[in-house]
């Protein structure tokens, strides 16, 4: 599908974005492990999360859609999932693939996991190795990529694991396997990654401890042999989705947009901090709590932005927002340097190269320098006029549709159906604020 975004003026309005993708995956998956009936409201009804719904159904959990965004899950209890009759298709969802491997490491039956062309290219060794050390047998036809077969055990061995990357997917997979292990399972990461699993597992009765070590590393421990209590949760709005309208508004002087009910977990808000440093007026209003997570309304007013240096240590708190930050950087005055982005190479696409290629196609000067991304802004609308391939990557598709609105000439995105992975209502929401996104003419 080819979608075209034409230049727009100031954006205005109040909107809500769909539920957080990370929390939605976890709510469905964890509820399937609880004994009894969980209720999830505000669930993200997008392709990624529907793959999670299908996977837990394939493993014996009963999942029902009660109304818009409202779902109930009858879980099977810890270790109680049943052998699937068919292959479990994780679609485009890395979070599902990795967390499901953690869950299956605690179940004594074989299951086959696969995914789309994007997911089959992504590294799984980061979870295959620790889960293997816990006793799961995971075999792939080729190396450690999907499709692969996992055969767990009823009682995996407790593990103490040092992850070389700050990855919530790795951390969560190990914690999930640890739920079934006798004793305490520990994961250390170089810096804290998003902590939704820890918060949700605690709310379900698990004993999860987190601490920062004297050398700055982060350690999380879970005590196994636990029966999870059912969940009742309302999923907050996804800050990674809010980033698109917020970015588009921030870069056009005269814009004023409010996004209500956005997850404000400090491990997810690095993009908004960076926008402020670039000179944008971004405010968190009416802070409150929802489903064990901080939530607030985001107000953004457009203005003139300047280039900044984004430190590598901020990357885990805004890892999914670099494509749209690079687009904002193209509109800012001066150079923006984003450091320490090696992980971007193993997302839904190689985002480092996709960003550079897309920006260059739209007349923007940009390059990767090692693991850093450098974007030269010219303090106003970039030329635009390019055709950008989404590469099965929803965030690349949406970032360049934002660029089309901010540029001098329209931008066309090919493979724009990828948007449905996380944000099916993206174009109508943007258009309601004043954007001009529509199907490209044949
Ligand atoms: C996610 C963690 C991040 C993020 C992904 C969602 C999660 O990946 O990029 O979109 O829900 O745990 P990593 O854990 O690989 O950094």
């Amino acid at each position: 599908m080819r979608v075209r975004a034409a230049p727009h003026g100031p954006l205005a309005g109040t909107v809500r974005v769909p539920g957080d993708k990370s929390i939605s995956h976890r709510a469905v998956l964890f509820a399937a492990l609880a004994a009894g009936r969980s209720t999830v409201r505000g669930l993200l009804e997008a392709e990624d999360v529907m793959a999670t719904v299908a996977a837990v159904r394939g493993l014996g959990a009963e999942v029902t859609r009660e109304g818009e965004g409202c779902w109930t899950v009858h879980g099977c209890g810890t270790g109680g999932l049943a052998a699937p009759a068919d292959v479990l298709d994780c679609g485009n969802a890395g979070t599902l693939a990795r967390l499901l491997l953690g869950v299956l490491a605690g179940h004594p039956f074989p299951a086959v996991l696969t995914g789309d062309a994007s997911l089959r290219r992504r590294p799984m060794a980061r979870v295959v190795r620790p889960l293997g050390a816990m006793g799961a047998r995971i075999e792939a036809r080729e190396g450690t990529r999907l499709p692969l077969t996992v055969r767990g055990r009823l009682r995996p061995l407790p593990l103490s694991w040092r992850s070389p990357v700050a990855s919530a997917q790795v951390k969560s997979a190990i914690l999930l396997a640890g739920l079934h292990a006798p004793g305490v399972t520990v994961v250390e990461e170089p810096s804290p990654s998003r902590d939704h699993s820890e918060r949700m597992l605690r709310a379900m009765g698990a004993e999860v401890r987190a601490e920062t070590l004297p050398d700055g590393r982060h350690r999380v421990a879970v005590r196994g042999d636990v029966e999870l209590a059912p969940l009742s949760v309302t999923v907050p709005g996804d800050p990674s989705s809010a980033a698109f309208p917020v970015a588009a508004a921030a870069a056009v002087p005269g814009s004023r947009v409010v996004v209500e009910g956005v997850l404000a977990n400090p491990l997810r808000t690095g993009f908004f901090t960076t926008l402020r440093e670039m000179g944008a007026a971004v405010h968190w209003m009416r802070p409150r709590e929802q489903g064990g997570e901080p939530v607030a309304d985001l107000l953004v007013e457009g203005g003139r932005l300047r280039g900044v240096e984004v430190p590598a240590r901020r990357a885990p708190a805004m890892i999914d927002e670099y494509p749209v930050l690079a687009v904002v950087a193209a509109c800012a005055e001066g150079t923006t340097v984003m450091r320490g982005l090696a992980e971007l190479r193993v997302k839904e696409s190689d985002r480092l190269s996709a960003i550079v290629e897309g920006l260059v196609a739209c007349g923007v000067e940009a390059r990767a320098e090692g693991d850093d991304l450098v974007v030269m802004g010219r303090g106003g609308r970039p030329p635009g006029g390019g055709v950008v391939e989404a590469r099965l990557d929803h965030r690349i598709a949406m970032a360049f549709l934002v660029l089309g609105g901010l540029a001098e000439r329209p931008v066309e995105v090919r493979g724009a159906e990828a948007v449905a992975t996380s944000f099916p209502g993206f174009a109508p929401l943007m258009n309601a604020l004043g954007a001009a996104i529509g199907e490209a003419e044949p």
Side-chain angles (χ1 to χ4, degrees), residues 100-276:
L100 192 56
L101 282 171
V103 167
L104 293 172
H107 288 82
F109 51 71
V112 180
L113 266 64
T114 192
D116 71 1
S118 152
L119 189 56
R120 291 198 306 269
R121 280 193 291 268
R122 298 181 66 184
M124 293 294 148
R126 50 183 61 196
V127 288
V128 166
R129 283 175 54 223
L131 297 176
M134 296 178 86
R137 288 201 343 246
I138 305 177
E139 283 158 16
R141 252 190 324 210
E142 243 188 76
T144 49
R145 316 239 156 183
L146 298 185
L148 42 77
T149 306
V150 51
R151 181 190 277 274
R153 42 201 272 176
L154 201 51
R155 290 172 74 75
L157 309 166
L159 177 73
S160 187
W161 189 258
R162 244 191 207 203
S163 170
V165 280
S167 160
Q169 294 179 359
V170 172
K171 174 175 65 180
S172 303
I174 298 170
L175 294 178
L176 284 166
L179 289 176
H180 309 256
V184 175
T185 292
V186 181
V187 196
E188 278 179 25
E189 44 184 2
S191 62
S193 61
R194 62 191 69 187
D195 61 353
H196 312 307
S197 295
E198 295 91 307
R199 288 171 184 259
M200 201 176 281
L201 288 174
R202 275 191 208 112
M204 298 173 85
E207 191 184 317
V208 182
R209 288 171 196 267
E211 60 178 323
T212 302
L213 303 174
D215 63 1
R217 276 177 310 124
H218 188 64
R219 174 190 281 163
V220 182
V222 67
R223 184 175 294 283
D225 261 340
V226 56
E227 201 52 67
L228 295 178
L231 190 64
S232 174
V233 71
T234 301
V235 181
D238 195 329
S240 299
S241 298
F244 297 102
V246 167
V252 184
S255 295
R256 189 179 194 278
V257 166
V258 175
V259 189
E260 291 178 336
V262 180
L263 174 71
N265 182 320
L267 295 168
R268 295 287 301 280
T269 52
F271 171 70
F272 306 104
T273 306
T274 304
L275 271 188
R276 269 196 181 160

Side-chain angles (χ1 to χ4, degrees), residues 21-22 26 95 98 126 166-169 194 319-320 343 347:
K21 181 156 78 67
S22 292
R26 285 163 173 79
T95 302
R98 296 186 177 124
R126 50 183 61 196
S167 160
Q169 294 179 359
R194 62 191 69 187
I319 193 67
D320 294 330
E343 277 295 299
K347 293 296 175 188

Side-chain angles (χ1 to χ4, degrees), residues 408-419:
E408 280 169 350
R409 286 183 297 136
V411 171
E412 181 179 314
V413 173
R414 300 219 166 133
E417 61 277 6
V419 168

